[in-house]
């Protein structure tokens, strides 16, 4: 297998660096790629390129929205052309099965198409009732150079919740992808040049959070940081951005609950809960890692979950039939396994899974079996911490009030699911839930028009939807004093 070699991408050119970060497959243990490791001076060069492309308004920021929309669309067409290649890189570097690599690429394109369309109609307002001598304009301007810092779990989708929206608004970007999964970000940056997006509009500096991430966050030439990652790093970024009053968008961790009432369509609920806890190996900020199930149906529902979980197919990235892949690296696998041990030690009941999987060709990878614990109580670690692995914690409730209180008993607030055939109950419970998204009788299903983001420690700001575009704009009020009328209107009386 050939090892992919990458430079960093600045001003529309590859810049090779002597220092490299090596990425080995979390499923096979083989070397996949060498990413150039950026340094502080590379961040300086990338920000300078992005600044130039932004400040010279004829390059990008001052073009008609329609021109930016067309350029973004040409770029998306090339991404569609290269779907198979991008899906393979994504699957190999993250460890996810190939069909999810394809799905991720397709969803990224869908986000991009929507964002491109928004470039045609960035909203503004006109204030025309402030006296004949005055006129007010409220316009939205692109924020400027956006530093984007992205994680390893969904490298393309987390990027496409930011980049096309920022481009549509007229911003330019310096991206720092995760050092573990930089491949697709670098590939799509080069495709932007092929599509005719001007040099300097998209720049990518791969490397560590400590060097590249810190340099980007503290750079005075960056107007905003848009970050997806852990709550811990998100807090540090928010503090550092505050020093320069830099704008910030944060999409952080979560601890979503699926609430299943006894009157739900239980077959669909079983499907939704299983999908919710295993998708992307559980490495997902809005993973349905908690199940709150009404006591009257709990025993039977857990039995069905266990039966359904036995059918989950674990597999290598190239396995077309696989449902679940490898965790991102050994240390993360050890962290997930230690959460499982803590669950047992704290007295939760292990219903299925609970260990590493090495049979059927998985021995070189970091595979953890889908794991379900019942009897989980709110003080247990399983109920509180973001585990980021295929682990489900089941808790029972007796009343609607108790269900809502349990769901909200977390510092996070990204998403929750509600399962009931009673529409009044569904809406009333949704209103009570402190999370940016609520799924009713489904889980993780959404559309590009709908904003995504967190309450509480799950983040600041929104991605996707019109709100996702507005995040990358500043509001300007222009108060215009009009001169005296040159011509008096003829009076007929
Ligand atoms: O995230 P980090 P990690 C959660 C999940 C996971 C845990 C740790 O629970 O187990 O976080 O994952 C860059 N300044 N999520 O350690 O460190 C880093 O290089 C600037 C939830 O990988 O937050 C990478 O590009 N940047 C999450 C990005 O931040 C810094 C997705 C995210 O890495 C930096 C991923 C610094 N000081 C993990 N330090 C979600 N919301 O879905 C690191 N980075």
């Amino acid at each position: 297998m050939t090892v992919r070699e990458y430079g960093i991408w600045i001003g529309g050119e590859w810049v090779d660096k002597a220092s490299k970060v090596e990425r080995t497959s979390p499923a096979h243990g083989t070397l996949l790629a060498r990413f150039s490791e950026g340094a502080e001076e590379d961040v300086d060069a990338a920000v300078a390129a992005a600044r130039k492309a932004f400040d010279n308004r004829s390059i990008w920021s001052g073009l008609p929205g329609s021109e930016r929309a067309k350029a973004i669309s040409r770029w998306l067409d090339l991404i569609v052309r290269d779907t198979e290649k991008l899906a393979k890189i994504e699957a190999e570097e993250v460890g996810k099965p190939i069909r999810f690599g394809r799905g991720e690429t397709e969803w990224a394109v869908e986000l991009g198409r929507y964002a491109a369309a928004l470039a045609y109609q960035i909203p503004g307002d006109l204030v025309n009732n402030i006296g004949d001598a005055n006129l007010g304009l409220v316009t939205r301007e692109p924020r400027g150079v956006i530093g984007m810092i992205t994680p390893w779990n969904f490298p393309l989708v987390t990027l496409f919740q930011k980049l096309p929206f920022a481009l549509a608004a007229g911003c330019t970007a310096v991206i720092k992808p995760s050092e573990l999964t930089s491949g697709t970000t670098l590939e799509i940056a080069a495709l932007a040049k092929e599509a005719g997006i001007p040099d300097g509009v998209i720049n990518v500096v791969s490397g560590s959070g400590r060097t590249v991430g810190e340099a980007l966050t503290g750079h005075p030439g960056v107007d905003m940081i848009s970050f997806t990652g852990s709550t811990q790093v998100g807090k540090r970024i928010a503090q550092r951005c505050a020093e320069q009053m830099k704008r910030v968008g944060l999409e952080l961790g979560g601890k979503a609950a699926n609430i299943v009432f006894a009157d739900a369509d239980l077959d669909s609920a079983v499907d939704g809960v299983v999908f919710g806890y295993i998708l992307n190996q559980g490495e997902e900020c809005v993973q349905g890692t908690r199940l709150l199930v009404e006591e009257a149906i709990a025993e039977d529902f857990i039995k069905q979950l266990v039966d359904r979980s036995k059918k989950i197919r674990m597999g290598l990235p190239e396995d077309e039939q696989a449902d679940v892949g490898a965790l991102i690296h050994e240390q993360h696998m050890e962290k997930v396994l230690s959460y499982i041990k803590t669950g047992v030690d704290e007295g939760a009941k292990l219903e299925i899974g609970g260990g590493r999987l090495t049979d059927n060709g998985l021995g070189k990878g970091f595979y953890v079996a889908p794991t379900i614990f019942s009897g989980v109580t709110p003080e247990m670690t399983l109920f509180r911490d973001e585990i980021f692995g295929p682990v489900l914690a089941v808790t029972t409730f007796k009343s609607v009030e108790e269900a809502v209180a349990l769901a909200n008993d977390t510092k996070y607030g990204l998403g929750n699911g509600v399962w009931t055939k009673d529409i009044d109950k569904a809406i009333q419970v949704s209103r009570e839930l402190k999370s940016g998204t609520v799924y009713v009788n489904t889980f993780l299903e959404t559309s590009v028009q709908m904003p995504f983001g967190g309450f509480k420690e799950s983040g600041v700001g929104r991605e996707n939807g019109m709100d996702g575009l507005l995040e990358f704009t500043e509001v300007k009020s222009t108060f215009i004093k009009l001169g005296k009328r040159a011509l008096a209107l003829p009076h007929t009386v």
Side-chain angles (χ1 to χ4, degrees):
M1 208 176 86
T2 47
V3 176
R4 294 184 286 271
E5 304 274 352
Y6 291 100
I8 56 181
W9 182 258
I10 299 180
E13 304 290 339
W14 291 114
V15 179
D16 193 42
K17 303 291 295 178
S19 175
K20 303 281 180 188
V21 179
E22 294 196 334
R23 176 61 176 150
T24 51
S25 160
H28 293 283
T30 50
L31 184 62
L32 294 172
R34 279 191 204 96
F35 304 122
S36 282
E37 192 167 22
E40 233 177 283
E41 64 264 24
D42 301 307
V43 174
D44 287 343
V47 172
R51 255 313 8 127
K52 187 170 154 212
F54 183 80
D55 291 341
N56 181 341
R57 299 176 60 86
S58 64
I59 295 177
W60 188 251
S61 56
L63 298 185
S66 57
E67 291 303 309
R68 289 198 299 273
K70 283 176 211 154
I72 295 168
S73 296
R74 289 195 302 273
W75 175 49
L76 297 170
D77 290 343
L78 298 181
I79 294 174
V80 171
R81 182 197 70 190
D82 288 357
T83 295
E84 205 50 36
K85 176 181 172 189
L86 294 166
K88 185 167 176 285
I89 296 173
E90 199 80 336
E92 287 179 356
E93 290 181 9
V94 182
K96 63 179 83 183
I98 180 71
R99 63 194 174 100
F100 296 98
R102 282 187 203 111
E104 190 180 341
T105 311
E106 284 157 14
W107 186 246
V109 169
E110 182 76 5
L111 286 161
R113 298 256 184 247
Y114 173 69
L118 291 183
Y120 279 88
Q121 55 170 64
I122 295 168
D125 216 346
L126 185 138
V127 184
N128 197 29
N129 63 343
I130 45 180
D132 268 357
N134 306 310
L135 183 67
L137 301 180
V138 183
T139 49
R140 288 194 172 261
E141 298 186 352
R143 276 219 154 124
V145 172
I146 315 295
M148 300 180 184
I149 302 177
T150 53
W152 43 259
N153 55 341
F154 292 99
L156 268 181
V157 161
T158 50
L159 179 63
F160 274 68
Q161 295 194 160
K162 310 176 189 306
L163 183 58
F165 292 86
L167 296 182
C171 298
T172 60
V174 178
I175 305 160
K176 199 222 74 80
S178 165
E179 51 276 46
L180 301 164
T181 57
S182 308
T184 49
T185 303
L186 290 156
E187 295 281 350
I188 60 97
L191 289 181
K193 183 177 177 101
E194 192 183 336
I197 291 181
D199 292 347
V201 171
I202 299 175
N203 307 275
V204 183
V205 185
S206 47
S208 72
R210 208 169 348 105
T211 306
V212 180
E214 289 278 318
L216 197 54
T217 310
H219 203 294
V222 173
D223 299 291
M224 174 180 177
I225 294 287
S226 177
F227 170 78
T228 301
S230 62
T231 293
Q232 192 190 359
V233 173
K235 285 180 182 175
R236 167 152 181 86
I237 287 177
Q239 279 166 358
R240 296 199 67 223
C241 286
E243 286 161 21
Q244 298 172 359
M245 212 48 86
K246 201 171 269 176
R247 305 312 190 245
V248 71
L250 302 171
E251 205 275 273
L252 310 174
K255 194 71 192 172
N258 264 303
I259 307 174
V260 178
F261 290 100
D263 60 4
D265 172 341
L266 296 181
D267 232 26
S268 311
V270 169
D271 279 345
V273 171
V274 170
F275 179 69
Y277 92 89
I278 60 152
L279 181 70
N280 215 47
Q281 307 71 244
E283 296 168 325
E284 149 125 39
C285 49
V286 69
Q287 180 203 16
T289 172
R290 292 184 298 156
L291 165 64
L292 310 175
V293 57
E294 196 161 346
E295 201 174 82
I297 56 159
E299 199 181 323
D300 185 52
F301 195 78
I302 293 168
K303 189 176 166 304
Q304 288 191 52
L305 284 179
V306 169
D307 288 346
R308 203 71 58 95
S309 295
K310 284 182 188 152
K311 298 192 183 118
I312 293 166
R313 183 179 165 110
M314 310 292 294
L316 297 166
E318 61 273 21
D319 179 347
E320 290 283 349
Q321 311 306 323
D323 301 310
V324 174
L327 295 176
I328 193 75
H329 49 56
E330 188 167 11
Q331 203 189 345
H332 184 58
M333 179 185 71
E334 293 302 340
K335 180 172 145 191
V336 172
L337 291 173
S338 90
Y339 271 120
I340 291 172
K341 184 174 174 307
T342 304
V344 173
D345 291 348
E346 290 183 358
K349 182 177 172 210
L350 183 64
E351 297 277 354
I352 186 174
R356 183 179 181 176
L357 294 178
T358 51
D359 291 347
N360 304 319
L362 306 182
K364 292 191 173 137
F366 309 124
Y367 287 85
V368 170
T371 298
I372 300 177
F373 280 99
S374 62
V376 176
T377 54
E379 59 283 353
M380 288 185 188
T381 310
L382 287 177
F383 191 93
R384 313 217 75 83
D385 285 16
E386 184 177 53
I387 299 169
F388 235 55
V391 181
L392 180 68
V394 185
T395 307
T396 58
F397 66 84
K398 290 199 185 80
S399 66
V400 174
E401 293 70 28
E402 192 189 359
V404 170
L406 283 167
N408 288 336
D409 184 8
T410 165
K411 64 180 180 179
Y412 296 112
L414 201 51
N416 286 296
V418 182
W419 299 83
T420 170
K421 284 187 194 151
D422 178 345
I423 189 68
D424 293 343
K425 185 155 69 179
I427 292 172
Q428 279 153 4
V429 168
S430 303
R431 284 187 178 143
E432 296 289 319
L433 291 173
K434 304 216 178 316
S435 60
T437 298
V438 178
Y439 305 98
V440 175
N441 294 326
T442 185
F443 199 72
L444 298 176
E445 208 177 327
T446 188
S447 72
V448 292
Q449 297 95 323
M450 299 191 72
F452 178 69
F455 284 26
K456 302 192 274 184
E457 291 196 19
S458 286
V460 171
R462 291 293 179 269
E463 298 187 324
N464 306 348
M466 179 55 95
D467 294 79
L469 177 97
L470 299 182
E471 291 277 328
F472 296 109
T473 65
E474 286 281 0
V475 176
K476 180 176 281 178
S477 293
T478 307
F479 189 100
I480 304 169
K481 181 64 77 185
L482 302 170
K484 287 224 159 53
R485 267 204 312 254
L487 282 176
L489 289 175
H491 289 275
T492 48
V493 244

